[in-house]
Amino acid sequence: MNFRIPILKLRDTLIVSIQWELDDQTAIQFQEDLLNKLHETSARGVVIDLTSVDFIDSFIAKVLGDVISMSSLMGARVVITGIQPAVAITLIELGIRLEDVMTALDLENGLDKLQLELEA
């Protein structure tokens, strides 16, 4: 499975909704695509919706953590939405701390939270 994850732009925000379990190649492609899109659009925020993701392995968790750090280095605030319990457990067990990352239960709340942060 080598699908590309769609990255949508809404005003100054990039929206990513991951709709399936990621394999390693798709995760790396997503990382490259998101960073390139940030560079091209100068977006100030990114919302990554994980509602449909029930499980992540250690490599995917590391890539997700890297994507968040890299997006921050490029000047974008990141909100992660829809984290499932198993995904949260995996991230913590692997030592991937999302301390500076905003989270929300769903995409709508994540967009609201990001908008408030960007207006501040």
Side-chain angles (χ1 to χ4, degrees):
M1 160 171 73
N2 187 15
F3 298 107
R4 280 191 123 108
I5 297 170
I7 302 170
L8 308 174
K9 185 172 186 298
L10 178 65
R11 292 187 276 287
D12 57 355
T13 300
L14 298 180
I15 302 171
V16 181
S17 182
I18 299 174
Q19 296 294 313
W20 58 85
E21 306 300 325
L22 297 177
D23 59 58
D24 294 358
Q25 187 175 3
T26 304
I28 293 295
Q29 186 65 56
F30 162 63
Q31 178 177 292
E32 292 174 14
D33 290 348
L34 181 61
L35 296 176
N36 286 331
K37 193 79 159 184
L38 273 171
H39 180 71
E40 291 168 13
T41 64
S42 299
R44 297 175 48 218
V46 177
V47 177
I48 301 173
D49 182 46
L50 301 175
T51 301
S52 297
V53 178
D54 294 322
F55 171 80
I56 58 173
D57 64 22
S58 59
F59 181 77
I60 303 301
K62 181 189 178 321
V63 170
L64 181 61
D66 290 349
V67 163
I68 293 165
S69 297
M70 292 173 190
S71 296
S72 179
L73 283 173
M74 294 182 71
R77 296 287 306 182
V78 178
V79 178
I80 303 293
T81 63
I83 295 177
Q84 300 299 319
V87 172
I89 291 167
T90 301
L91 290 171
I92 296 304
E93 286 178 348
L94 294 172
I96 298 173
R97 306 280 184 233
L98 303 178
E99 293 157 354
D100 295 330
V101 178
M102 295 177 287
T103 60
L105 290 176
D106 59 37
L107 183 58
E108 184 177 3
N109 288 332
L111 285 167
D112 291 344
K113 208 177 240 194
L114 181 60
Q115 200 57 45
L116 288 172
E117 181 72 19
L118 293 178
E119 290 172 358

